[in-house]
């Protein structure tokens, strides 16, 4: 009964500053080829309207989510290109800092904070995602990055696969003060099924996943809850939630816990659709795209050229300055 999902165009952190863009394009190619190979099952879509159409046709609405900001190689141009290839959410970091955003390992002390959340260029990425209509995903980011993005974004954001920190104090989960910001911004937390984020141990069960859904509903409201699955992204899942065929069992558990049918529908699909529609409405393709590149000094240079950067004087001179600079040359050229 799965009606829609995001395919994760994920490439590991060790591709950063190397071939991350190439590998991401290959992942998107695989997603598109799956839709082409199995058109009776999958419908690749890029809008909330497309999701609803796929529901009506009995197909699995398939969307592209890029899991890790390192996939854009600190380029707004690459961000736009991935949008045109179908990307509709991007996780700002995976389990590594980008040159412009800090990841969750900063909060464990395993990584050092570089951007204190979002750098100036990181803010430009968030603004450009708003302009394009790409959902901002805060799974995997540091708490400082969560707060910065929730404050800056002009549209609701998502946590595509994160759980409640109060129930399992793992830094991949969302603390209650951030859940309050989720509520205030109309954003969404889609609960992760990975045992380590559900029970903070190697074993977990369906009831404990329902506890996370209950907690997020209590703190941030029923409209803030979603299913984050993470199937095939993790090595172990809870007893009773071994695969997607077990979703009805989780639905039954929520109904036993006095969730209304409308609240369950929200967690299954309607809450994500609401956020997606709000992101689409906030987009503005008539607005001038972001142009400012990240400073060259903030990039690792081992595997890149300096193409596009120049030490020459800027051509963006004040009005009249170019004419004034040419006058002495003209005078010198006179006989």
């Amino acid at each position: 009964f799965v009606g829609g999902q995001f395919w994760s165009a994920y490439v590991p952190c060790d591709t950063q500053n190397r071939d991350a863009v190439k590998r991401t394009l290959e992942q998107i190619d695989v997603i598109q080829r799956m839709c082409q190979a199995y058109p009776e099952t999958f419908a690749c879509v890029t809008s909330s309207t497309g999701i609803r159409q796929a529901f009506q046709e009995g197909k699995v609405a398939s969307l592209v989510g890029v899991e890790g900001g390192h996939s854009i190689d600190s380029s707004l141009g690459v961000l736009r290109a991935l949008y045109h290839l179908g990307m509709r959410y991007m996780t700002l970091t995976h389990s590594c800092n980008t040159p412009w955003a800090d990841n969750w390992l900063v909060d464990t002390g395993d990584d050092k904070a570089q951007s204190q959340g979002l750098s100036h260029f990181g803010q430009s990425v968030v603004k450009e995602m708003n302009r394009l209509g790409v959902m901002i995903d805060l799974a995997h980011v540091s708490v400082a990055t969560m707060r910065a993005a929730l404050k800056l974004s002009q549209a609701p954001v998502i946590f595509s696969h994160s759980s409640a920190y109060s129930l399992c104090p793992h830094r991949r989960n969302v603390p209650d003060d951030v859940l309050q910001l989720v509520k205030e911004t109309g954003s969404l937390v889609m609960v992760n099924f990975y045992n380590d984020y559900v029970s903070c141990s190697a074993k977990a069960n369906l009831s404990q996943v329902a506890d996370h859904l209950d907690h997020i509903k209590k703190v941030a409201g029923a409209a803030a809850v979603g299913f984050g699955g993470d199937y095939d992204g993790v090595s172990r899942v809870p007893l009773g939630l071994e695969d997607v065929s077990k979703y009805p069992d989780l639905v039954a558990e929520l109904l036993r816990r006095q969730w209304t049918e409308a609240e369950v529908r929200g967690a299954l699909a309607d809450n994500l659709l609401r956020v997606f529609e709000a992101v689409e409405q906030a987009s503005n393709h008539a607005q001038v795209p972001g142009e400012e590149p990240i400073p060259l000094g903030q990039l690792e240079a081992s595997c890149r050229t300096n193409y596009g950067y120049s030490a020459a004087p800027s051509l963006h001179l004040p009005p009249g300055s170019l004419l004034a600079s040419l006058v002495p040359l003209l005078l010198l050229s006179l006989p």
Side-chain angles (χ1 to χ4, degrees), residues 27-42:
Q27 290 289 297
I28 293 175
D29 175 63
V30 170
I31 295 166
Q32 293 172 341
R33 286 191 291 123
M34 280 195 292
C35 290
Q36 294 163 4
Y38 305 102
E40 73 286 352
T41 301
F42 301 123

Side-chain angles (χ1 to χ4, degrees), residues 305-321:
T305 68
N306 294 350
Y307 179 75
Y309 292 90
S310 175
S314 172
L315 293 180
H316 299 286
L317 300 172
S321 59

Side-chain angles (χ1 to χ4, degrees), residues 119-191:
S119 71
H120 177 73
F121 183 79
Q123 294 173 16
S124 297
V125 171
V126 166
K127 292 175 182 178
E128 188 66 4
M129 291 173 73
N130 281 166
R131 188 192 73 83
L132 289 168
V134 177
M135 285 183 281
I136 295 159
D137 177 23
L138 301 182
H140 283 276
V141 306
S142 70
V143 171
T145 307
M146 295 177 191
R147 293 182 181 133
L150 281 159
K151 180 180 179 181
L152 179 63
S153 178
Q154 297 299 303
V157 308
I158 66 171
F159 291 77
S160 64
H161 54 302
S162 298
S163 300
Y165 185 84
S166 287
L167 299 188
C168 169
H170 193 290
R171 289 299 184 176
R172 271 284 284 103
N173 290 337
V174 187
D176 282 359
D177 64 314
V178 175
L179 288 178
Q180 289 290 345
L181 296 175
V182 167
K183 181 178 182 178
E184 293 169 11
T185 56
S187 296
L188 178 65
V189 179
M190 306 173 79
V191 170

Side-chain angles (χ1 to χ4, degrees), residues 16-18 73-74 99 296 299-307 309:
Q16 182 162 216
N17 298 310
R18 295 181 175 89
D73 197 23
S74 300
L296 182 60
L299 299 174
E300 289 188 19
S302 59
C303 293
R304 66 174 74 246
T305 68
N306 294 350
Y307 179 75
Y309 292 90

Side-chain angles (χ1 to χ4, degrees), residues 237-291:
V237 292
L239 182 66
L241 283 172
E242 289 79 11
D243 54 52
V244 296
S245 73
K246 305 296 185 179
Y247 276 136
D249 295 338
L250 183 54
V251 168
E253 175 65 18
L254 295 179
L255 292 171
R256 278 193 292 270
R257 295 180 180 216
Q258 306 304 310
W259 285 50
T260 67
E261 290 192 12
E263 289 171 342
V264 172
R265 279 195 297 269
L268 286 168
D270 288 350
N271 294 341
L272 185 279
L273 283 167
R274 172 188 58 78
V275 170
F276 196 5
E277 288 167 353
V279 169
E280 290 171 330
Q281 290 167 6
S283 68
N284 183 3
H285 287 227
Q287 182 182 341
V288 176
E291 295 282 359

